[in-house]
Amino acid sequence: MPRPALFVVKATIAPALEAAFNHWYDTVRSKEAAQVPGCLGMRRYAAVPLESPHAGSEPWQYMVCYEFDSEESLQAFVRSGTLRAMTTDYNARFGGAGDRARLAYRQIYP
């Protein structure tokens, strides 16, 4: 049985572009994600510092999680022209104004 999977993008952005970055993600990117086959939705998060003896250090300001219905759907998206176009758009708008990393996870429980 297929299990859900996550495509995660973590990013930092220059303060001068932060408002535009957040507006673009919330208005443009969210609509694009809704059109991706197998993508069930996306959620965005901002890092929160923790005061805890076991707290790690998070170098990224933002994280977006795209939930897919299966690892197969996620892998198809990663290989797609859609992701290439989304990357080209991101780079045109925010390239050089921060860093980002892409990660993927498959659900293992429940």
Side-chain angles (χ1 to χ4, degrees):
M1 169 167 62
R3 300 183 67 89
L6 293 178
F7 180 68
V8 177
V9 180
K10 293 188 171 192
T12 58
I13 192 75
L17 290 176
E18 197 167 358
F21 173 84
N22 284 314
H23 178 74
W24 172 79
Y25 246 112
D26 294 347
T27 59
V28 175
R29 185 60 94 214
S30 63
K31 289 178 184 166
E32 292 172 337
Q35 301 303 311
V36 173
C39 184
L40 303 174
M42 70 171 253
R43 294 178 189 260
R44 294 189 60 233
Y45 300 87
V48 176
L50 295 177
E51 294 186 24
S52 167
H54 302 289
S57 174
E58 175 60 85
W60 305 102
Q61 290 171 279
Y62 295 100
M63 177 176 72
V64 60
C65 298
Y66 300 87
E67 184 175 2
F68 284 84
D69 60 5
S70 66
E71 186 176 348
E72 292 76 20
S73 293
L74 182 152
Q75 292 292 353
F77 169 67
V78 168
R79 294 186 305 269
S80 73
T82 300
L83 179 58
R84 284 190 293 282
M86 291 168 81
T87 300
T88 298
D89 182 40
Y90 182 98
N91 290 341
R93 294 170 188 267
F94 306 109
D99 292 313
R100 69 183 186 273
R102 293 174 171 164
L103 308 154
Y105 302 86
R106 81 172 64 84
Q107 183 178 327
I108 59 172
Y109 180 87

